[in-house]
Amino acid sequence: MTTLHIVDDDEAIRDALGWLFQSRNVPVSGWPSAEAFLEAWRPDTAGCLLLDIRMEGMSGLELFDRLLAKGCRMPVIFLTGHGDVPIAVGALKKGARDFVEKPFNDNELVDRVIDALAADAEQREREAGQAGLAARLGTLTQRERQVMELVVAGRLNKVIADELGISMRTVEVHRSHVFEKMRVKTAVELARLLTGAS
């Protein structure tokens, strides 16, 4: 499981939330300010951000805006006071995952965070798979790509040879290289792999 990052300038709340999530086996990292988290944040920082809207210095909303500008896609859940609900709704429209109004139900908050952590892990896994596929596609020569496209379109080797003006044996060699580079054994597997990527 990835990490929950709690950003709250109130040490007592940060500690209480840390204890709550650790009691449910959720890894936690506490941050005393938006500035501290922003300084430590990297594009590969995984997990979920539990963010208090109102803090001394940089507000939670300002941190959220700065992270968005940096391309952060980590799920963000805002903790809000009663008067902050309109602000939180605005954050949802910008892409925040959720907001929880204080006082909150402990179990409901933990469940929302666990769902957000799972969503982040799934998204990162999907992105890694797409990056791996893109890397494999990048190893294909132009002719191998042409053969691959025709194989996926369901054309037989003889038809591919005629369309590309090459011998059937050359098509078989290119087809074999495509399957090897794409790490598949059949045209059906190749089609599934490419369909899943789009």
Side-chain angles (χ1 to χ4, degrees):
M1 184 180 284
T2 55
T3 302
L4 169 64
H5 301 275
I6 301 170
V7 181
D8 197 310
D9 60 349
D10 185 327
E11 185 177 3
I13 290 176
R14 209 170 50 245
D15 289 346
L17 287 169
W19 179 86
L20 170 66
F21 285 99
Q22 288 171 344
S23 74
R24 294 275 299 266
N25 297 316
V26 175
V28 173
S29 181
W31 301 90
S33 69
E35 293 87 352
F37 181 80
L38 186 60
E39 186 177 320
W41 181 83
R42 300 290 174 264
D44 62 346
T45 302
C48 172
L49 187 57
L50 186 59
L51 187 53
D52 190 11
I53 282 189
R54 296 195 186 271
M55 292 185 283
E56 292 293 322
M58 184 188 304
S59 72
L61 204 55
E62 186 180 347
L63 172 61
F64 179 61
D65 287 341
R66 288 194 186 186
L67 289 171
L68 285 177
K70 290 177 175 262
C72 177
R73 292 182 314 278
M74 182 186 312
V76 174
I77 298 174
F78 280 101
L79 291 176
T80 68
H82 177 68
D84 295 329
V85 173
I87 296 170
V89 170
L92 287 174
K93 290 179 180 177
K94 289 182 181 180
R97 180 172 178 93
D98 208 346
F99 72 91
V100 178
E101 200 171 349
K102 298 175 189 174
F104 49 81
N105 175 295
D106 290 355
N107 289 327
E108 184 180 314
L109 177 61
V110 172
D111 290 344
R112 288 183 187 189
V113 166
I114 288 173
D115 287 347
L117 288 168
D120 182 63
E122 287 171 18
Q123 177 65 26
R124 289 177 188 281
E125 190 175 306
R126 232 181 348 267
E127 289 171 1
Q130 289 169 348
L133 176 59
R136 285 184 266 163
L137 284 169
T139 66
L140 299 177
T141 65
Q142 182 178 357
R143 181 63 84 188
E144 288 168 347
R145 271 186 177 270
Q146 292 171 326
V147 169
M148 177 186 71
E149 289 167 5
L150 294 170
V151 166
V152 170
R155 300 226 175 55
L156 300 174
N157 286 352
K158 180 170 179 12
V159 175
I160 295 171
D162 289 344
E163 283 191 34
L164 297 179
I166 57 178
S167 75
M168 222 167 90
R169 177 68 188 133
T170 302
V171 171
E172 290 169 358
V173 168
H174 286 309
R175 182 181 175 124
S176 171
H177 289 162
V178 168
F179 283 16
E180 182 181 322
K181 289 178 179 181
M182 297 306 292
R183 300 182 195 148
V184 296
K185 294 182 178 160
T186 67
V188 172
E189 282 183 59
L190 180 62
R192 282 188 188 141
L193 177 67
L194 295 174
T195 303
S198 55

